Amino acid sequence: MTEEFSLDKVPENHRLAYYGLLFAMADADYRMDEEEIDLILRTFDLDGMSDETKRKIYDYSITPPDPEDCLKELADADENLRYGAMVNLIDIAWADEIMDMAEQDIIETAQIALRIDDDQRSAIEKFVHKTREIRDRGL
């Protein structure tokens, strides 16, 4: 990752897939917890998006898409978006302190689709855990 993660210049189709993927992760265990939704809402940046795309994103909060469809769309995305998606997927998966098998499956599929190697994934997981510690302490 070479620059700060931002959705400002990300194409609309990639932003749609990104949010769809996050909602799919939150719903992997068939229930979206408050903390999972809060983590997604913290990333919301819908500025400049069409009304139709905004509606689709809000629809995803009720009926998430297939994560593999989202990953196919993100496979050719910019490196920062792919890494940012992986960071947020792992953060959402750990929201309730337990990563279940469905969440683990999405993480493993995302790692391959987003071209994240094992060392990069390890670094991302350490970053997420450190960030969660800081957030939990209220800093």
Side-chain angles (χ1 to χ4, degrees):
M1 210 161 22
T2 57
E3 56 188 66
E4 186 176 326
F5 178 66
S6 171
L7 294 172
D8 291 348
K9 296 180 178 126
V10 173
E12 196 166 284
N13 63 317
H14 285 164
R15 289 169 80 182
L16 178 63
Y18 169 83
Y19 286 119
L21 183 60
L22 298 187
F23 281 116
M25 175 58 87
D27 192 52
D29 58 1
Y30 302 107
R31 62 178 167 67
M32 291 189 209
D33 297 328
E34 184 177 332
E35 185 176 354
E36 292 170 330
I37 296 300
D38 184 51
L39 290 170
I40 295 169
L41 293 178
R42 288 180 193 186
T43 71
F44 258 38
D45 178 3
L46 306 181
D47 289 344
M49 297 177 81
S50 70
D51 289 341
E52 179 182 344
T53 299
K54 289 177 186 177
R55 272 191 299 279
K56 286 181 184 177
I57 291 170
Y58 286 115
D59 289 346
Y60 288 166
S61 69
I62 298 165
T63 307
D66 183 325
E68 290 189 24
D69 292 341
C70 298
L71 287 167
K72 285 177 189 171
E73 185 69 36
L74 293 172
D76 67 342
D78 151 279
E79 178 183 53
N80 286 324
L81 181 59
R82 290 184 287 111
Y83 279 62
M86 194 68 172
V87 166
N88 284 297
L89 285 175
I90 291 171
D91 200 14
I92 291 167
W94 283 108
D96 61 359
E97 305 297 327
I98 300 167
M99 187 182 301
D100 66 32
M101 290 301 293
E103 292 167 330
Q104 184 66 34
D105 287 346
I106 292 173
I107 295 290
E108 290 174 7
T109 302
Q111 181 180 356
I112 294 165
L114 301 176
R115 301 185 313 275
I116 307 286
D117 68 33
D118 290 338
D119 290 337
Q120 293 165 326
R121 178 177 169 180
S122 179
I124 289 169
E125 287 174 345
K126 287 177 186 174
F127 171 78
V128 169
H129 287 296
K130 187 57 133 176
T131 301
R132 291 187 69 76
E133 286 175 12
I134 292 168
R135 224 177 19 231
D136 290 346
R137 289 187 290 183
L139 300 177

